[in-house]
Amino acid sequence: MASLGASLGTGLRLVVCLAAMWPTAARADKPRIAVLGLEVAQGPGGAIDPGAQLIAREVTRELRQRVQSPACPYAMAPNSNKDLLDEKLLMSCENEAPDCMVVIGAGLASDVLLYGRVEKRGQGFRISLKLLDIKRRQVLPAVDELPGGGGVPGVSRRLYRKLIGDGPGGSATLVVRARSDRGSALRGGTVIIDDEPRGPLVNGKATLTDVDEG
């Protein structure tokens, strides 16, 4: 799910009107994917960082939302909202070796398994994901860094694109109209989507292309 914001001067309350033209995607039969809740790597002495736990939950939620978009080439496997750690314990997996992860994926009636972990690194976090093709037993990895105070939607989108891509019909046009609390069009500002500047506001309006659906 994309997050939308604007960088504006102080003292203004932003009122935004959005009009999006989302492409239509047919809901044909798709391979099924299970997105496991990310595991949090233990720190020194086996401690679990609360910030890493929060990041793990937010990244998991973002990934599951993106998978449920009509543009995604996969369909969410039924009853597959499980956690990686729980599934490893249930299947007596000591690690994420493909042989054991394939059993987990098959048990969730999925064709593809997406899983990973969050590790505290200094003031930031490292998010490592793996996309496992159950039938072929092939693993595609992806890693990204989230600095302290960084936005989760941005890193989730980057990881999704690295492993899955935009999918068919995964772009849209977004029209943004921004006015102050007095009703006048804002003369300046920048539209930010998923923590990335996408374009300036001109007389309170911006038209953005190639925006992810959702």
Side-chain angles (χ1 to χ4, degrees):
M1 184 68 69
S3 63
L4 175 66
S7 176
L8 306 167
T10 58
L12 290 176
R13 179 172 60 86
L14 177 63
V15 180
V16 181
C17 299
L18 303 179
M21 288 72 75
W22 306 120
T24 302
R27 279 288 189 177
D29 290 338
K30 298 179 180 180
R32 292 166 297 182
I33 185 171
V35 182
L36 297 181
L38 271 61
E39 185 177 346
V40 178
Q42 294 182 352
I48 298 295
D49 182 76
Q53 287 181 310
L54 177 61
I55 297 298
R57 288 195 297 268
E58 291 185 350
V59 172
T60 300
R61 177 178 57 83
E62 287 279 343
L63 291 172
R64 286 173 176 168
Q65 286 180 340
R66 291 183 181 277
V67 164
Q68 294 178 50
S69 165
C72 181
Y74 301 109
M76 184 73 80
N79 302 316
S80 62
N81 289 343
K82 310 294 184 179
D83 290 330
L84 173 60
L85 182 58
D86 291 343
E87 291 301 301
K88 285 165 57 178
L89 291 173
L90 183 64
M91 297 297 177
S92 300
C93 296
E94 296 182 359
N95 50 43
E96 286 119 47
D99 287 345
C100 201
M101 297 307 296
V102 162
V103 175
I104 292 176
L108 296 175
S110 64
D111 302 295
V112 179
L113 193 63
L114 181 60
Y115 55 96
R117 62 175 52 213
V118 176
E119 182 181 0
K120 176 73 172 177
R121 288 290 185 96
Q123 297 301 314
F125 305 89
R126 169 169 289 183
I127 297 97
S128 305
L129 296 183
K130 292 180 180 179
L131 187 70
L132 171 65
D133 186 310
I134 304 299
K135 184 177 180 179
R136 298 179 180 178
R137 295 176 178 248
Q138 294 179 345
V139 178
L140 180 64
V143 178
D144 209 323
E145 304 289 337
L146 181 64
V152 168
V155 72
S156 301
R157 178 181 54 80
R158 291 194 300 270
L159 287 166
Y160 179 92
R161 282 184 170 176
K162 288 178 182 179
L163 293 175
I164 297 177
D166 291 330
S171 62
T173 298
L174 180 68
V175 178
V176 180
R177 294 185 177 89
R179 296 182 179 276
S180 69
D181 53 358
R182 295 181 178 179
S184 59
L186 296 178
R187 295 182 178 180
T190 301
V191 178
I192 300 171
I193 300 179
D194 286 348
D195 310 307
E196 292 186 3
R198 293 297 303 271
L201 286 167
V202 179
N203 294 324
K205 183 178 178 179
T207 299
L208 310 176
T209 58
D210 296 327
V211 178
D212 287 348
E213 181 178 352

